[in-house]
Amino acid sequence: MATILLADDEARIRRLVADFLKRDGHTMIEAADGKEALDSLSGNIPIDLAILDVMMPGADGFAVLRSIRERESTRRLPVMMLTARAEELDQLHGLEGGADDYVTKPFSPLVLCARVKNLLLRAGAAQEEKTSFGALDIDEVRHEVRVSGENIGLTPKEYELMIYFKNNRGIALSREKILNAVWGYDYFGDLRTVDTHIKKLRAKLRDYGGKIETVRGYGYRFEV
């Protein structure tokens, strides 16, 4: 897996993103501001991808991005900009400055992880990943879930649910945790959204639907 630099002055965001990327097997290097990010890039540890918040003290994300693209050693480093600023001009500024992707807050951690994986695959820093449980195959490169070789046609949210369960198999997950992970930490929808999507996911999984067990009064557990 990859070594990822995560630079964001919000500790809560760093913790959220780092926890999810660590579950995917990545090594995280965290920075609380632009200066720390630049120091990490100058260190002895090779970095495979950088995630930069735009609004940081010391040096903002755009300044760090410029430095990355000016250095011979990091010129081709994949960079994702992470920010609450969704204005079109800001996104254009980042992309024209050499950013490879641009994610605005609030965001789904699972979607961010998928976009990180795509960047790493393009850069050749990640390997294809396929997980099988008997006749149930989860192909994270093709974004497909197959039962007995047949693609069961999950919606994007159903697919994110499946990946979350796969990464946390055997663990009882509350509805709140599932909602925060799949719909985003700023989502204020009804918890019944989780139940509705899991009901549909179970039906599509056929004989494997029962592997998503109900934990009474709490949530769900994927038991394989």
Side-chain angles (χ1 to χ4, degrees), residues 12-13 16 20 104-112 157 160 175-189 191 193-194:
R12 180 173 61 102
I13 299 297
L16 176 74
F20 273 84
T104 57
K105 304 171 187 177
F107 55 85
S108 161
L110 285 173
V111 170
L112 184 140
K157 276 291 176 279
E160 289 179 48
R175 288 174 174 83
E176 289 85 356
K177 277 188 177 180
I178 296 170
L179 197 71
N180 288 338
V182 177
W183 279 266
Y185 62 92
D186 276 353
Y187 181 79
F188 295 106
L191 286 177
T193 297
V194 174

Side-chain angles (χ1 to χ4, degrees), residues 165 170-173 175 178 198 202 208-216 218-224:
F165 280 129
I171 300 173
L173 302 166
R175 288 174 174 83
I178 296 170
I198 287 177
R202 280 171 165 167
Y208 288 87
K211 300 294 183 183
I212 302 176
E213 301 175 351
T214 299
V215 181
R216 190 174 299 277
Y218 186 70
Y220 299 92
R221 178 177 56 238
F222 183 50
E223 196 66 67
V224 292

Side-chain angles (χ1 to χ4, degrees), residues 1-4 21 24-28 46-49 116 120 125-126:
M1 290 287 111
T3 298
I4 299 174
L21 289 172
D24 283 350
H26 301 302
T27 299
M28 302 302 299
I47 293 172
D48 300 303
L49 181 143
V116 163
L120 290 171

Side-chain angles (χ1 to χ4, degrees), residues 76-120:
R76 293 178 179 81
L77 180 71
V79 177
M80 174 186 290
M81 306 301 289
L82 181 63
T83 180
R85 298 169 63 173
E87 289 86 353
E88 187 177 71
L89 285 177
D90 285 326
Q91 295 190 41
L92 285 173
H93 184 35
L95 294 171
E96 289 175 354
D100 299 280
D101 202 355
Y102 205 106
V103 177
T104 57
K105 304 171 187 177
F107 55 85
S108 161
L110 285 173
V111 170
L112 184 140
C113 289
R115 295 172 82 156
V116 163
K117 179 173 290 186
N118 287 339
L119 286 179
L120 290 171

